[in-house]
Amino acid sequence: MATTNEVREYWNRHIHDLEITRHPVGSRGFFDDLDQYHFEKLHHLLRLVPFDGCRGQSVLEVGCGAGVDLARFAKGGAEVTGVDLAASAIALAHANFAQQGLQGRFEVADGERLPFPDNSFDFVFAHGVVQYTANPRQLVEECRRVLKPGGDAVFQVYNRMSWLNALSQLMKVGLEHDDAPVILKFSRGEFRRLVAGFRHVKIVAERFPVKSRLHGGWKGAVYNGLFVGTFSLLPRALVGRFGWHLLAFCKK
């Protein structure tokens, strides 16, 4: 079992999607590229997550990274708070918000031990963090603790029974951050048990193949030119359960 310090040290050295930009880290071009690519590959978030529906509400993002998602909540009128285990991520989030003239509160903090009182937030967003933490149940329970009664939370994990997990093994291509101290994959049943403390839970499979800028050579050509197009033609009813991401929409 990895320690919290090992997880912190890794994420202080790594930034999601850094390979897709040639702009200096922390520049406006850097943040614009992150935003574009993030919502290019995760376009379902714009449909499923109420970025514009939290005006006047308090929103917490656990594992906020460079603040790409949190900026969307802020632009929608939410009062936003971001925490991340990595100080480097919090520094980038500060810079991202400052460059856009957005207001937000940021803090270096462990999602397994959130520094907030019970019932503090209307909405908690934890996308791309549960699978990388040493104690995912503790993180989920902390998010539930700081959420107000009747509030909503969104969690995302990697789906063990997914097209990307199978394709990675077939083509011998590593998954993003597969060298992280912790990288977990869940079945739908395991994920449902993880969020069982909420009174209402809806789990959705998403993140289906889109063209990638991260892989070149013949494997990238086969993936972008053949696999993505073929997969897109398959009926969603047939392949819907195999999305790489599982999202849980929870109400306390």
Side-chain angles (χ1 to χ4, degrees):
M1 178 65 71
T3 67
T4 299
N5 282 338
E6 289 172 333
V7 174
R8 178 185 292 109
E9 288 173 6
Y10 177 88
W11 290 108
N12 264 320
R13 300 192 308 269
H14 294 78
I15 302 170
H16 272 305
D17 302 329
L18 183 60
E19 298 89 346
I20 58 88
T21 181
R22 295 182 180 178
H23 293 283
V25 173
S27 67
R28 188 67 250 150
F30 167 80
F31 291 121
D32 287 343
D33 281 351
L34 287 191
D35 182 87
Q36 179 184 354
Y37 184 65
H38 182 71
F39 290 105
E40 187 178 283
K41 69 176 181 177
L42 304 178
H43 52 85
H44 57 272
L45 292 181
L46 297 174
R47 173 171 46 88
L48 296 174
V49 177
F51 293 113
D52 295 324
C54 296
R55 179 172 296 276
Q57 296 184 16
S58 54
V59 173
L60 169 68
E61 182 174 8
V62 178
C64 67
V68 172
D69 285 316
L70 203 59
R72 295 275 175 148
F73 284 109
K75 290 175 183 177
E79 299 174 2
V80 303
T81 300
V83 299
D84 201 288
L85 192 61
S88 60
I90 293 299
L92 287 173
H94 272 296
N96 190 7
F97 268 56
Q99 291 175 23
Q100 297 187 72
L102 298 173
Q103 297 296 316
R105 177 173 55 146
F106 297 97
E107 189 168 342
V108 177
D110 184 355
E112 297 177 16
R113 298 170 184 82
L114 291 171
F116 308 112
D118 297 355
N119 310 321
S120 295
F121 297 94
D122 297 300
F123 192 96
V124 176
F125 188 64
H127 188 281
V129 63
V130 176
Q131 58 265 43
Y132 292 118
T133 192
N135 191 336
R137 183 171 299 280
Q138 178 66 24
L139 185 143
V140 169
E141 285 304 304
E142 275 292 275
C143 290
R144 189 172 70 89
R145 179 185 66 79
V146 302
L147 188 64
K148 294 178 182 178
D152 295 297
V154 176
F155 302 95
Q156 174 266 325
V157 297
Y158 292 145
N159 183 7
R160 187 184 302 124
M161 300 296 294
S162 69
W163 66 271
L164 185 55
N165 199 33
L167 186 66
S168 172
Q169 296 180 39
L170 178 66
M171 297 190 70
K172 308 300 181 186
V173 175
L175 298 169
E176 187 177 26
H177 298 299
D178 60 1
D179 60 338
V182 179
I183 180 169
L184 303 172
K185 300 161 195 170
F186 296 79
S187 69
R188 187 182 289 258
E190 289 167 343
F191 192 26
R192 186 171 292 277
R193 288 190 289 275
L194 190 66
V195 295
F198 290 88
R199 66 181 175 89
H200 177 74
V201 174
K202 179 182 179 181
I203 294 180
V204 176
E206 270 293 350
R207 180 72 202 285
F208 297 100
V210 295
K211 290 184 178 181
S212 173
R213 306 184 212 172
L214 296 181
H215 300 297
W218 72 268
K219 290 183 179 180
V222 168
Y223 174 80
N224 287 322
L226 179 62
F227 181 76
V228 172
T230 301
F231 197 99
S232 298
L233 295 175
L234 297 174
R236 185 55 60 90
L238 180 64
V239 299
R241 72 179 67 181
F242 302 115
W244 172 228
H245 289 184
L246 294 175
L247 294 101
F249 298 84
C250 309
K251 185 171 288 290
K252 183 174 178 180

